[in-house]
Amino acid sequence: MRDDDSELGREIGGLMDELGRFSAEIRTKLKTQDDRMTRLDRKTALAARPALEAKAEGQPHRAAFGAYLRTGEDDGLRGLGLEGKAMSTTVAADGGYLVDPQTAERVRGVLGATASLRAIASVVAVDAGSYDVLIDHAQAGAGWADETSARTETGTPQIDRISIPLHELSALPKTSQRLLDDSAFDIEGWLAGRIADTFARSEAAAFVSGDGIDKPTGILSYPQVDDDGWSWGSLGYVATGTDGGFDDTNPADAVIDLVYRLGAPYRAGASFVMNSRTAGALRKLKDADGRFLWSDGLSAGEPARLLGYPVLIAEDMPDITTDACALAFGNFEAGYTIAERPDLRVLRDPFSAKPHVIFYATKRVGGAVSDFAAIKLLKFGIA
C-alpha cells in the first residue's frame, strides 16, 4: 500500500512539473507576442502621424485647380489622379475640369442648406443619365380560410416605374483677369459662392414649379384634382371654400382637413411647405378654443411648426390668390425624389468676354414626384 502511495505521489509530482513547464512556455510566448504587438502599435502610430510639412488631403488638386482658374494652366490637372472617394469620374479637359473636393463640398453644403425641397426630399447620387424609382402602390390581396377549404387566388400588387431624367444646370460667373492675378483674391471661395447661389435659386424654383422640359418637374406641375376624386398620377387638393382666402367663420378647418387627408403612414414624417406671405397669414389662425395653430421653434435651428408639423419656407411657392395651391403638406422624403450626379465641372473661357474671364460651371440634377399619395395641396378656391 505504501508503494502504491509513493508511485501515485511521483506521478502527481511529474504532472505538476509538466504543468509548470507548460505554464512557463505559455507565459514566454504571450510576452513575446505582447512585445511584438507593442512594436507594431508604435510603428503604426508613427506612420499615421501627419508630417509637419505635409499638405492636407486634397491640397494637390486644390492647388492645380486654383492655377487653372487663375491662368488657364492645366498641366497640373492633366497629370493628377483623383481619389475615388472624393470624385466619381476622372478629369476631362474637353468638357471642363472637376471642382476640387473642398469646393465641391462647399457648394453641396450650401445647396442642402437653402430653403428648397432639397432640405426635406429624398436626395440620391447617380452615375447614369436617369434614375428609376419603383413604386408598389397597391397591396397584395389576402383572404381567410379554414384548415381544409381550398384557397382562392388573391390580388397581385401593382408596381409602377417612375423615371427621373437628369438635366444640366449651368452657371456662368465672370471676373476680370486683373482680379485673378491678385494673389490675395480667394478665387475658389468666390467661385463656390457664386455657383452655389445661382444653383440654389434655380433648383428651388424648379422643384416647385419646373415643367420637366430641360429641368426637374416641380410638385405644382402635376395634374391637381379634388382629393375626393384623387387617382395615381395626380396630386389631391383640399379647397378652402373661399375664393382666394380662408373661410371667414372657421378659417382653420381647411388646414386641419388637409392634414387628415394625408394617409396616417405618411403623417409621421410630414411637413408643410409655403412661402413667407402664406406663413404670415397662417400665423394668425386660431382654433375654436382661441389657440394659435402656429408655434415657433423652441431652440435655434428648429423649424416653426403648424399643428405640430414642421414648416419649410420656400419662397417659390405661390402667394394666396384665387385658386392657387399655396400650401403643400406631405411626407416629401417619400413623395419627392431628387437625383443628381455628385460631380461639378468648371470650364475656363478667357475669349468670349474679353477682358473678362468666364467660368462655365455645370452639374446634372433631376427631380420628380415619386409617390403621389404622399403629398396633398391646399387650394384657395371655392372647389
Side-chain angles (χ1 to χ4, degrees), residues 9-44:
R10 285 193 298 271
E11 291 180 359
I12 292 176
L15 178 62
M16 295 300 295
D17 291 340
E18 287 291 334
L19 289 175
R21 286 192 295 270
F22 179 73
S23 177
E25 184 180 354
I26 291 297
R27 284 197 296 270
T28 302
K29 289 183 177 181
L30 288 176
K31 186 176 185 306
T32 303
Q33 187 73 13
D34 185 62
D35 292 341
R36 184 182 179 187
M37 293 299 296
T38 301
R39 290 195 300 271
L40 288 175
D41 289 342
R42 289 175 179 174
K43 182 183 292 186
T44 304

Side-chain angles (χ1 to χ4, degrees), residues 39 153 182 192 221 294:
R39 290 195 300 271
E153 183 178 347
D182 185 359
S221 297
W294 187 284

Side-chain angles (χ1 to χ4, degrees), residues 25-166:
E25 184 180 354
I26 291 297
R27 284 197 296 270
T28 302
K29 289 183 177 181
L30 288 176
K31 186 176 185 306
T32 303
Q33 187 73 13
D34 185 62
D35 292 341
R36 184 182 179 187
M37 293 299 296
T38 301
R39 290 195 300 271
L40 288 175
D41 289 342
R42 289 175 179 174
K43 182 183 292 186
T44 304
L46 290 173
R49 181 191 302 171
L52 295 178
E53 299 297 328
K55 297 287 187 179
E57 182 181 0
Q59 283 296 96
H61 189 285
R62 183 179 180 87
F65 186 70
Y68 171 70
L69 295 180
R70 292 180 184 277
T71 66
E73 176 60 47
D74 60 358
D75 290 343
L77 286 172
R78 288 179 182 275
L80 188 64
L82 297 180
E83 295 187 15
K85 66 180 181 180
M87 312 298 292
S88 64
T89 57
T90 58
V91 173
D94 54 348
Y97 286 101
L98 296 178
V99 175
D100 65 280
Q102 290 85 354
T103 303
E105 287 296 335
R106 184 172 178 179
V107 172
R108 283 201 292 269
V110 173
L111 289 177
T114 53
S116 76
L117 289 186
R118 177 183 282 272
I120 56 176
S122 175
V123 182
V124 296
V126 298
D127 291 327
S130 64
Y131 179 73
D132 290 347
V133 181
L134 298 180
I135 299 294
D136 176 10
H137 60 87
Q139 295 182 353
W144 297 94
D146 58 24
E147 183 177 359
T148 59
S149 298
R151 272 62 170 176
T152 58
E153 183 178 347
T154 60
T156 303
Q158 299 176 7
I159 298 179
D160 275 351
R161 180 190 299 271
I162 297 176
S163 182
I164 304 175
L166 272 63

Side-chain angles (χ1 to χ4, degrees), residues 202-219:
S202 300
E203 281 190 357
F207 295 152
V208 171
S209 57
D211 58 11
I213 301 175
D214 297 330
K215 63 175 68 68
T217 304
I219 58 173

